[in-house]
Amino acid sequence: MSIKTIFVTGGAGYIGSHTCIELLQANYNVIVYDNLANSKLESLRRVEQITGKSITFIKGDIRDKDALKNAMTGCDAVIHFAGLKAVGESVEKPLLYYDNNVLGSLCLFHVMQELLIKNIVFSSSATMYGDPEFLPLTEVHRCEATNPYGETKLAIEMMLRALYNSDKDWQIALLRYFNPVGAHESGLIGEDPSGIPNNLMPFITQVAVGKRKQLAVFGNDYQTPDGTGVRDYIHVVDLAKGHLKALEALGRFECDAINLGTGKGYSVLELVGAFEQASGQSIPYIIQDRRPGDISECYADPRKAKDLLGWEAELSLNKMCVDSWRWQKHNPDGY
Ligand code: NAD
Ligand code: UFG
């Protein structure tokens, strides 16, 4: 059966909206299902503006089985982005995270099974590797969740593996993202965090645009070249293209976990320097204590994605910074 219509849960969000562009440009029909808990419908209007194509949007919650069933009938595959993702909030409200992410995913998989839609690409996370035992991280690294958010990702991966083991007709890709940053080069869509950003890049861009006074660098006493934490930043457009590749490769591998990263790690201060160079803005910062739960270094071995999907990240750190800045500059208050 050929895949034509894609059901995108959480498609109005940051990674989802960028992925919708790639799907539309590859001529798929796109149905976005999102409760707008952490996004605005405007993101999809802008996706339509960028692509000149239309999206079917259905406002709904993945925990609502009846609504899901109505919305999904006739779809061929699912890309499942919907979920809550704030690590700190998950520590404070674990039941909310289990309810939204785990129960929601369970509900989605039930409906997929009922409707015989057995193709799925799932948003997993490098957070599952915990504190790395070795670097770069390959997919065989042990998985351990260090917070309730990570636990929900682990639980959903396990659910999908069990489903695959019970019925090999399922075609499943578990994509483990590293640190998505950047924005579409039009400057029309990008990351729009509500409140004070948890993540480094949106914090930097908000300092650059004058919304925040200075960046707090969380620790400069890690065992890294300049003492600050090292991460594998990946351009969200590269990440979005990875989803298209995964969708097209479904069935060519087992229910596999696949890293989506660049393979290269940059420190907090390297990212700050790259951003300053790309934007011409200076980013004042102070050094603070380490953030509890943070690890020193994390970067991917991206070879499996290349072997299985024929995908590798192409966009540079400079491009990530230029595009993040363009988005923030043109949309200082987000959508
Ligand atoms: P996002 O918050 O921008 O997008 C998630 C979308 O899901 C939002 O539009 C939100 O409204 C929607 N949603 C949440 N709960 C829902 C529910 N119950 N029913 C329907 N819609 C719901 O986040 P993102 O950065 O685009 O992340 C997408 C996925 O990728 C998430 O599952 C996240 O955990 C995962 N991920 C993100 C990162 C990252 O750093 N951004 C890293 C690894 C994995
Ligand atoms: N950092 C600062 N100051 C800030 C924010 C972050 O110094 O204001 C530092 C952190 O200490 C870390 C680095 O910048 O060294 C990156 O931090 P982020 O919060 O941007 O990203 P994390 O690596 O902590 O986590 C992100 C997502 C997780 C996901 C993980 C791996 O938030 O959900 O990437 O994909 F699981």
Side-chain angles (χ1 to χ4, degrees):
M1 184 197 68
S2 73
I3 291 179
K4 291 197 198 80
T5 302
I6 319 298
F7 190 76
V8 185
T9 74
Y14 174 46
I15 305 169
S17 55
H18 287 82
T19 302
C20 286
I21 292 183
E22 301 302 322
L23 292 171
L24 291 168
Q25 285 176 344
N27 288 321
Y28 289 102
N29 304 319
V30 175
I31 299 178
V32 167
Y33 186 89
D34 197 307
N35 66 359
L36 303 180
N38 195 38
S39 54
K40 308 236 169 63
L41 191 51
E42 177 63 16
S43 64
L44 297 180
R45 299 285 84 92
R46 296 195 187 180
V47 167
E48 292 183 326
Q49 187 185 337
I50 291 164
T51 58
K53 296 187 175 182
S54 62
I55 290 178
T56 303
F57 174 72
I58 298 163
K59 185 171 176 193
D61 195 293
I62 51 168
R63 291 163 294 185
D64 183 344
K65 228 173 170 177
D66 292 335
L68 264 182
K69 213 163 157 180
N70 281 331
M72 286 176 78
T73 301
C75 291
D76 304 311
V78 173
I79 304 185
H80 179 29
F81 293 107
L84 298 174
K85 62 166 183 176
V87 173
E89 186 188 49
S90 81
V91 175
E92 282 155 30
K93 301 176 184 169
L95 296 184
L96 172 67
Y97 274 66
Y98 274 90
D99 188 63
N100 194 80
N101 295 2
V102 179
L103 200 66
S105 298
L106 184 62
C107 195
L108 175 71
F109 306 155
H110 267 303
V111 174
M112 290 178 71
Q113 193 167 46
E114 241 175 88
L115 297 178
L116 301 176
I117 301 167
K118 296 185 178 182
N119 302 310
I120 180 166
V121 175
F122 171 60
S123 296
S124 189
S125 171
T127 194
M128 308 233 311
Y129 295 124
D131 201 351
E133 281 170 352
F134 56 82
L135 288 165
L137 286 156
T138 57
E139 292 81 354
V140 300
H141 189 279
R142 58 123 179 73
C143 289
E144 58 155 31
T146 52
N147 54 65
Y149 165 70
E151 284 160 22
T152 67
K153 292 291 176 194
L154 198 56
I156 300 164
E157 276 204 8
M158 284 164 64
M159 241 195 282
L160 285 170
R161 278 217 189 77
L163 199 52
Y164 176 76
N165 289 333
S166 74
D167 174 358
K168 296 280 160 61
D169 285 348
W170 280 81
Q171 306 197 119
I172 300 171
L174 310 169
L175 302 183
R176 292 184 180 157
Y177 314 155
F178 282 68
N179 290 53
V181 296
H184 189 262
E185 67 175 358
S186 62
L188 287 171
I189 64 167
E191 188 169 10
D192 182 17
S194 50
I196 301 170
N198 293 310
N199 298 117
L200 181 59
M201 184 62 104
F203 205 104
I204 290 176
T205 61
Q206 290 198 6
V207 172
V209 85
K211 291 186 78 172
R212 319 237 161 240
K213 203 164 98 247
Q214 62 193 8
L215 171 72
V217 173
F218 298 143
N220 66 350
D221 56 353
Y222 287 105
Q223 292 295 314
T224 61
D226 64 18
T228 65
V230 167
R231 296 291 184 277
D232 186 338
Y233 298 97
I234 173 168
H235 198 296
V236 66
V237 171
D238 271 334
L239 195 63
K241 289 182 197 294
H243 288 75
L244 194 66
K245 291 285 193 184
L247 189 69
E248 288 170 348
L250 280 178
R252 278 194 249 135
F253 45 82
E254 303 281 307
C255 175
D256 267 54
I258 303 170
N259 288 340
L260 294 187
T262 66
K264 184 135 182 46
Y266 290 99
S267 73
V268 174
L269 293 183
E270 281 177 314
L271 186 66
V272 169
F275 185 86
E276 288 185 324
Q277 204 169 19
S279 65
Q281 306 294 305
S282 83
I283 305 297
Y285 66 84
I286 51 160
I287 305 292
Q288 273 194 1
D289 289 346
R290 292 181 179 194
R291 182 170 64 178
D294 269 1
I295 53 174
S296 166
E297 276 189 280
C298 174
Y299 51 90
D301 181 331
R303 280 178 302 178
K304 190 170 175 187
K306 190 170 183 192
D307 292 346
L308 292 186
L309 312 181
W311 170 92
E312 60 188 325
E314 289 173 351
L315 303 173
S316 67
L317 188 67
N318 177 259
K319 175 81 173 144
M320 299 178 209
C321 294
V322 166
D323 289 341
S324 291
W325 175 229
R326 187 185 297 107
W327 154 253
Q328 182 74 78
K329 196 172 43 174
H330 291 151
N331 305 270
D333 298 314
Y335 289 110

